[in-house]
Amino acid sequence: MTAQLAGTLGRLLSTVDYLRVTVGEPPGDREWLASSAMTSDPERLAAVVRSTAADRGTDRGDVAMSLFVQGYAFRLASIAIGAWLLDDIVVDVAPRRCAIALRRHRPNAVHFDELRAVAGGDPLAALH
């Protein structure tokens, strides 16, 4: 992780204080769900979503999935878009790079083994 990228992440987390992001060794205080596993294994994703449904106030699978995906997308998009807005850097949030943790039965935290920026000369194109 470059010093610039680390600084951008620090500024983002101090600006948006409800984002929870860790980098490096995953904290042992929660279970981390690999994004790559959930995006490549529909049964795993369905099981995770089912585990959140009742506490999200629904027994409908489509509603539970919608709520889960909204929370997941919100967390990752906030990191990518926030870094771009602050410093014109796009954090690589590809599923192979991150994991999420649940709190209160919803995506709550993001973990990166290594923080990387998306390569390219046009940050807006990279963000898209």
Side-chain angles (χ1 to χ4, degrees):
M1 172 171 46
T2 68
Q4 182 183 12
L5 195 51
T8 296
L9 180 61
R11 288 183 54 223
L12 176 62
L13 296 179
S14 67
T15 302
V16 187
D17 65 353
Y18 53 82
L19 285 178
R20 306 286 176 258
V21 180
T22 57
V23 180
E25 187 66 30
D29 63 341
R30 58 188 88 192
E31 178 186 358
W32 293 98
L33 307 168
S35 293
S36 59
M38 288 190 297
T39 58
S40 65
D41 183 348
E43 291 177 16
R44 173 139 167 97
L45 176 60
V48 170
V49 170
R50 272 193 303 277
S51 77
T52 68
D55 289 310
R56 297 299 305 267
T58 188
D59 59 358
R60 291 184 45 190
D62 60 334
V63 172
M65 183 64 77
S66 177
L67 293 170
F68 185 87
V69 168
Q70 287 175 46
Y72 178 84
F74 170 78
R75 297 283 174 208
L76 293 176
S78 294
I79 296 165
I81 294 169
W84 173 69
L85 288 170
L86 287 172
D87 289 330
D88 210 25
I89 295 173
V90 180
V91 175
D92 188 347
V93 296
R96 69 185 178 280
R97 302 225 178 274
C98 59
I100 62 163
L102 305 178
R103 278 274 156 89
R104 295 183 359 224
H105 311 285
R106 64 194 77 197
N108 172 265
V110 178
H111 176 75
F112 297 97
D113 289 335
E114 178 183 10
L115 197 60
R116 291 186 180 191
V118 174
D122 182 355
L124 184 56
L127 183 62
H128 284 112

